[in-house]
Amino acid sequence: MLNGVRDPAPGRGHSARPRSRRRLRFEGWPPISTSTAPSDPTCSHCADRPDGTGTPAGPDGSDAPGATDGTTRRRRFLTYLLAAPTLTVAAGLGLDTGAPAAARAPAPTPVPPSAAAAVPARETALPQQLIGLPGIPDIVDLGDAMIIAGLPTAHLLVLEVTPAGRAALHLPRLEVGQGLTTAIAMIVAEELDARLSDVDVPLSDARPELLFNQLTGGSNSIRSLYDPVRAAAAAARARLVTVAAKRWNVPAATLRTADSAVLAPDGRRLAYGDLAAEAATVAVPAVPAVPKAADQLRVVGRPTGRIDARDIVTGRAKYAGDLRVPGAVPTVVARPTTVNGTLKSLDASAARAMPGVLGVVRIPTGVAVLAETFDQALKARDALRVTWNPGPVAGLSDADVRSRLRAAHLPSLPPPLLSHRVEAEFDFAFVNHAPMEVLTAVADVRPNRAELWFAAQSPILAQGTIAAELGLPEKAVTVHVVRGGGSFGRRLFFDAALEAAQVSKAAGRPVKLMWTRNDDMRHGRVRPASHHVIRATYGLGQVFSWEHHVASVLTDLGHGLGDMLTAAGYNLPMAGLTASELFFLLTEKIPYDVGVPTQLLAEVPLDLHTGSWRSVYSGTVRVSDEIMMDELARRMGQDELAFRRDRMRSAAGRAVLEELAVRGNWGRPMPPGHAQGIGYHDEHSASAAYLVELDATDRADPRVTKAVVVADVGRVINPRGLEAQLTGALVDGISVILQAGNHLDNGAFREGSYGDFRYARQRHTPPVVEIHLMPPSGPPGGAGELGVPAASAAVANAYARATGTSPRSFPINF
C-alpha cells in the first residue's frame, strides 16, 4: 500500500498480444544522453542482448557483430525478429550510459533537522538545500528520476509502418488536451521523412510490461519520449531505404527520403507502404539509422495545428462519455453529505419504481443508480431516501485546517547577527482540478474477465488495483486508454473506473458511470491547502539567508509515482521518506543566490482526497518565494527585475529575465491603480518568466489587461502547442490568485459547480497576450506545468504594486 492506494499485483509479465501481419514494426529504447560523439563509419547499428549481458545480439537473439551509430553517447540498436514478417527494432542505450549526466551523479543525502523528531508522524520536515551546495533538483530532478525508472522497459515503445503507408506510434501516455499526440506525430514525421498527415498516434492500452513507462505526469512526456521516438523513426527510415536500394540495385547512400517515400536521383519513387512488408525482413540496414542533426529539422520547431483539431470540433474525437459499448447503461452515484462519509440507511423503493431505472447497487463510496438514460438515473438518484454517517473530517472547516497547518511548522533558525529581516506568511486554499470533461468510465465485468474504457494517466496501476478489487488475475483485466478532456493531475487517479468496475460486477452488466461536476467538486481530488512562513535576512546590500517553511495537508501521490521513485533508487539514501517528501526534494529549489537557503516541508495528514494539481508544490512554494523576492527587493531599494537578474544562478535564467524586460517594457509608467508584476520559475529543465499588467482600480474585481511571457524550454517541438500551454498556465494563475478556490465547511466542500468555483472566464483573461520563445538551448524540457508558478506570482506581485498592499491569502477575493 502507498498512501492508501493498493499497489498493483506483482510479477507482471509480457502480455501475449497478437501481432498484425505484413507491417514494419519498431520499438524504441530512449537514448537519454544528449552528449554527441563522432559516428563510427564502419557500421550502422549495434546491439545489446535483451538479457542485459551487453553482448551484441543478432536478429535471432544469438551473438552477432554490431556497431555504434554515434549520434548520442554510445547509442546502441537492438534488432530482433518476433514473428515474421513483423520486425521489432529497439533503439537503445546500455544502462551504464542511459541516464542524463546530471542524473547519474548521486543525489546528496538530506540532513533532517534535529527538531524533526518532535513532529508527529507524517509531519516530517526536510531541508531542501544543504548549506553552500546547489539544491537537489539542480543535480537530479523529478523528470530525471522518472526517466531513469523507465529505462529498463523503454525499449518497448512501438512504431509501425503499414502497407497502407501509415506510420503509427503507439503512445504509452495520455492525451488530455496538452497536444502530446501532435508533438509525437511531428517527431515521427521529422525522422521518418513522412507527411504529417500520414502519421497516427493511437493511445496504448494498459501494458503492465512497461512498468513505470506508462505514467503521464511531471511534465515528462516529451522529455522522456523525444529520443526514443526519434531513434525508432530513424531505424524505420533506414530499413525502408535499404529495401528501395535493393529493388533498384543502386547504392543506398544515393537515395533520399521525403513525403512518405524513398526517392532515387533519377526521379523514381517508392512509397513507404510499398516497402513496409519487405522492410520487415531487414536486420541490418545499409545506411546508418541516425536521427537528424539540428540543422536538418524541417517539421520539429515549426508552428503546427493539432492533428486532431478537426475531429475535436466536429465531434469525431471520442471521449469516454461518447463511447457506445454494447449494453453499457448510464450510471450515477449518490454520495455522502461529508467527505468520506458512510451509508447508514437506504430506502430505494421510490427510485426503483421510477421510469427507466434498471437497478440500485451499493458500493463502498455510495449508492449507484443504473437507468436507461442519464436523466433518469439522476432523477432516481435524487429520489433515494438515504441517511449518512458523518465522515472523519466532519466538523472540520478552513479555520481549523489553517490552525493545524500553523502548528505543524518547526521553529525558525536563529538569524545572523547584525542583519535585517523580511518575514511573511501566506495561506493557499484548497483548489479543485475541475477539468472540463467530468470523470466518466465504462466497465464490462464478467465472471472471468473485465474490460474498461477511461482516460487514465496511470493505467497500469489502475489495471492492477481493479483486478485485485474484482478478484481477477491482472491479465484478465483490459484497460483501454481513452483521450481525456483536461486533467491537471486529476486523471492520475481512477476513482470513476474503480466504481464502474464495482457496479458492473454487482449488477452483472456493463455500465457507463459518470461523476457529475458536483461529485468531483465535493468528493474528488483537490490541491491541498497550505501555509507558508518565509524569512529572509540581509545587510550591506547582500542577502544572508532564506528560510521557507511549508506546512501542507498531505498530498496523496499514491498513483504510481512513489513506486517509480523507489524503482529508480531514490529511496535508498533517503530511507523512510514518503512519496510526497521525495517529490518535494526533487522539485523545489530557489533559483537565486540568497545566501544560505533552507526549505522545509511539514505535512499534516487529514482524511481528504488530495492529489497532484498542476505544478504540485511549486504552485504555492515558488509563488510565495517570488512574492518575497519583490518585497525583499523593495526593502533593499532595488528594482524587482534587476534584483532577480543579479542573483540568478543560471545564465539561461538571466537571459529569460533580460528578454522579458525588453519584450514587456518593464518599468513603463502606469496610471494610478495599475501596475506591472513579474514572476519567474524554472523546473523540468526549462524556465519561464511572466510579466502581467493589472488594473486594480476596483479591488473587488481586479483585471489582468496584458501578459508577456518569455520561456526557454530547450528544443521546442511545436511552438503553437507550447504557446497554448503557457497561455493556459496564465489563466490558471489568474484564477487561483484572484478568485478561485474551495471552502471546507464542517467536513464538506462548499463549491459544487463552475457557478460558485470562480475559475477565470473569458472576460477575466487579458485581451493582449504575447509569448516569446528563446532559441533552442538543448534537448526538450517539460512545459506542461512550467508556467503556473511564474504566472501566479506575476499576478500577485502586480496586485501588490497596484494596491500598495501585499496579499497574504489566496485567492485574494475568496
Side-chain angles (χ1 to χ4, degrees):
M1 299 285 286
L2 178 62
N3 288 350
V5 177
R6 183 180 291 109
D7 293 332
R12 301 188 183 101
H14 291 262
S15 57
R17 300 177 63 191
R19 304 279 183 171
S20 302
R21 288 186 176 273
R22 300 192 65 78
R23 57 177 63 181
L24 184 63
R25 186 178 180 99
F26 300 89
E27 297 188 354
W29 185 314
I32 301 303
S33 173
T34 58
S35 301
T36 59
S39 297
D40 181 348
T42 62
C43 63
S44 59
H45 73 282
C46 70
D48 283 342
R49 293 183 66 91
D51 61 10
T53 63
T55 306
D60 61 355
S62 61
D63 292 348
T68 305
D69 68 41
T71 58
T72 60
R73 183 185 299 173
R74 296 181 63 193
R75 175 178 293 154
R76 303 185 181 116
F77 289 99
L78 171 64
T79 306
Y80 56 97
L81 286 170
L82 291 187
T86 297
L87 175 68
T88 301
V89 180
L93 281 173
L95 291 178
D96 58 330
T97 58
R104 290 196 297 272
T109 304
V111 183
S114 58
V119 181
R122 304 305 293 275
E123 296 183 7
T124 306
L126 305 171
Q128 172 58 14
Q129 288 179 264
L130 301 176
I131 295 174
L133 294 178
I136 290 176
D138 291 315
I139 302 170
V140 54
D141 69 6
L142 178 67
D144 297 327
M146 295 175 71
I147 291 169
I148 293 168
L151 278 175
T153 61
H155 61 287
L156 298 177
L157 182 71
V158 176
L159 169 67
E160 292 180 309
V161 180
T162 73
R166 307 295 301 176
L169 191 290
H170 296 263
L171 182 64
R173 299 292 191 276
L174 175 64
E175 170 66 70
V176 286
Q178 77 275 46
L180 178 59
T181 51
T182 298
I184 294 298
M186 292 174 68
I187 299 170
V188 172
E190 181 71 80
E191 296 298 340
L192 193 58
D193 278 332
R195 291 183 292 260
L196 186 61
S197 59
D198 290 339
V199 180
D200 301 312
V201 186
L203 305 183
S204 298
D205 291 349
R207 296 176 58 193
E209 71 274 16
L210 291 178
L211 299 179
F212 304 107
N213 250 328
Q214 202 175 4
L215 189 148
T216 308
S219 298
N220 189 249
S221 292
I222 292 297
R223 287 183 70 185
S224 61
L225 293 174
Y226 178 63
D227 277 337
V229 171
R230 294 176 72 214
R237 172 167 44 87
R239 284 155 176 78
L240 293 164
V241 168
T242 299
V243 172
K246 180 181 177 181
R247 287 193 187 179
W248 288 330
N249 194 25
V250 298
T254 65
L255 305 181
R256 64 185 183 92
T257 51
D259 294 331
S260 304
V262 180
L263 308 176
D266 60 7
R268 284 178 292 177
R269 181 181 186 277
L270 280 170
Y272 285 165
D274 297 331
L275 301 169
E278 189 175 349
T281 66
V282 176
V284 180
V287 293
V290 182
K292 294 180 180 179
D295 61 0
Q296 297 176 306
L297 301 180
R298 298 293 181 267
V299 179
V300 167
R302 184 181 67 193
T304 302
R306 290 185 52 153
I307 60 173
D308 53 1
R310 182 178 295 275
D311 287 347
I312 291 172
V313 299
T314 59
R316 290 182 60 190
K318 300 301 181 186
Y319 299 84
D322 300 317
L323 300 180
R324 297 291 181 263
V325 175
V329 298
T331 303
V332 295
V333 177
R335 303 184 186 279
T337 52
T338 57
V339 176
N340 287 323
T342 56
L343 183 64
K344 183 176 182 179
S345 66
L346 169 65
D347 179 357
S349 56
R352 292 181 188 275
M354 294 179 70
V357 173
L358 302 173
V360 177
V361 174
R362 296 189 186 193
I363 58 175
T365 50
V367 181
V369 178
L370 295 72
E372 295 175 358
T373 68
F374 275 113
D375 180 65
Q376 293 170 333
L378 289 167
K379 289 176 179 176
R381 183 198 63 180
D382 294 341
L384 294 172
R385 289 189 282 271
V386 189
T387 56
W388 304 95
N389 296 310
V393 294
L396 200 68
S397 297
D398 287 335
D400 307 300
V401 174
R402 284 194 295 268
S403 177
R404 294 193 186 191
L405 293 175
R406 284 172 167 79
H409 288 299
L410 295 176
S412 295
L413 300 173
L417 295 175
L418 304 177
S419 65
H420 303 283
R421 71 178 73 175
V422 178
E423 294 180 302
E425 298 185 21
F426 303 95
D427 285 296
F428 291 85
F430 294 104
V431 179
N432 195 270
H433 294 81
M436 288 293 289
E437 181 206 10
V438 294
L439 302 184
T440 304
V442 180
D444 183 2
V445 178
R446 307 293 176 92
N448 59 351
R449 65 171 180 85
E451 195 168 6
L452 295 99
W453 295 258
F454 61 101
Q457 288 181 252
S458 52
I460 297 173
L461 180 63
Q463 181 186 33
T465 303
I466 292 169
E469 174 68 22
L470 298 175
L472 292 174
E474 187 178 76
K475 64 182 180 180
V477 177
T478 301
V479 170
H480 301 290
V481 178
V482 183
R483 71 167 62 237
S487 174
F488 319 111
R490 179 64 181 95
R491 300 181 197 278
L492 283 163
F493 292 89
F494 40 90
D495 315 71
L498 182 59
E499 288 183 343
Q502 292 166 337
V503 174
S504 180
K505 179 180 180 180
R509 65 189 308 164
V511 300
K512 180 189 291 184
L513 186 145
M514 178 183 70
W515 283 45
T516 65
R517 179 70 59 199
N518 193 282
D519 288 341
D520 201 29
M521 285 281 184
R522 293 181 171 154
H523 298 276
R525 303 280 169 171
V526 292
R527 182 181 78 177
S530 62
H531 181 258
H532 302 249
V533 178
I534 305 180
R535 180 176 68 185
T537 63
Y538 67 96
L540 302 175
Q542 300 296 320
V543 181
F544 298 142
S545 67
W546 185 281
E547 190 177 0
H548 189 158
H549 292 240
V550 183
S552 173
V553 174
L554 179 68
T555 302
D556 187 348
L557 296 174
H559 42 55
L561 180 61
D563 289 337
M564 175 180 286
L565 296 177
T566 298
Y570 288 90
N571 65 321
L572 296 179
M574 309 170 186
L577 300 186
T578 66
S580 52
E581 290 160 355
L582 279 170
F583 194 112
F584 186 86
L585 281 169
L586 292 170
T587 57
E588 300 314 300
K589 66 176 181 179
I590 300 175
Y592 312 108
D593 180 3
V594 288
V596 179
T598 305
Q599 290 184 287
L600 307 175
L601 171 66
E603 294 198 297
V604 177
L606 295 177
D607 202 345
L608 294 168
H609 303 299
T610 63
S612 304
W613 194 92
R614 200 176 184 189
S615 295
V616 199
Y617 295 107
S618 297
T620 58
V621 173
R622 287 290 299 124
V623 175
S624 305
D625 285 339
E626 288 293 295
I627 296 172
M628 278 294 289
M629 284 294 290
D630 257 31
E631 297 189 16
L632 185 57
R634 290 192 288 269
R635 183 73 64 88
M636 296 177 67
Q638 299 182 34
D639 174 82
E640 293 93 333
L641 191 147
F643 183 75
R644 288 172 170 81
R645 181 199 60 210
D646 294 345
R647 287 161 178 79
M648 181 66 67
R649 291 193 284 114
S650 76
R654 284 192 296 273
V656 166
L657 285 176
E658 289 167 356
E659 185 75 3
L660 183 73
V662 174
R663 297 287 191 175
N665 195 11
W666 169 252
R668 75 181 184 88
M670 302 286 289
H674 296 244
Q676 295 176 316
I678 55 172
Y680 172 85
H681 180 59
D682 66 61
E683 194 174 0
H684 316 299
S685 295
S687 59
Y690 282 65
L691 184 154
V692 304
E693 297 185 356
L694 182 136
D695 176 1
T697 51
D698 180 359
R699 291 198 183 191
D701 188 23
R703 169 82 186 277
V704 175
T705 59
K706 181 179 180 180
V708 179
V709 187
V710 176
D712 182 349
V713 299
R715 173 71 57 192
V716 178
I717 308 303
N718 184 8
R720 188 169 296 166
L722 176 57
E723 290 168 2
Q725 289 186 313
L726 294 170
T727 303
L730 172 65
V731 175
D732 284 343
I734 292 171
S735 300
V736 298
I737 292 299
L738 296 181
Q739 60 196 48
N742 296 86
H743 294 82
L744 184 67
D745 291 336
N746 294 314
F749 283 105
R750 182 190 308 172
E751 287 75 19
S753 72
Y754 282 132
D756 48 15
F757 179 61
R758 300 175 56 233
Y759 227 72
R761 309 297 205 269
Q762 189 69 38
R763 67 179 184 274
H764 299 124
T765 58
V768 178
V769 177
E770 298 176 8
I771 296 177
H772 305 277
L773 305 179
M774 301 294 282
S777 58
E785 302 164 280
L786 173 68
V788 175
S792 301
V795 174
N797 285 332
Y799 181 90
R801 299 178 83 233
T803 64
T805 302
S806 191
R808 292 290 185 260
S809 184
F810 303 99
I812 293 170
N813 294 318
F814 196 23

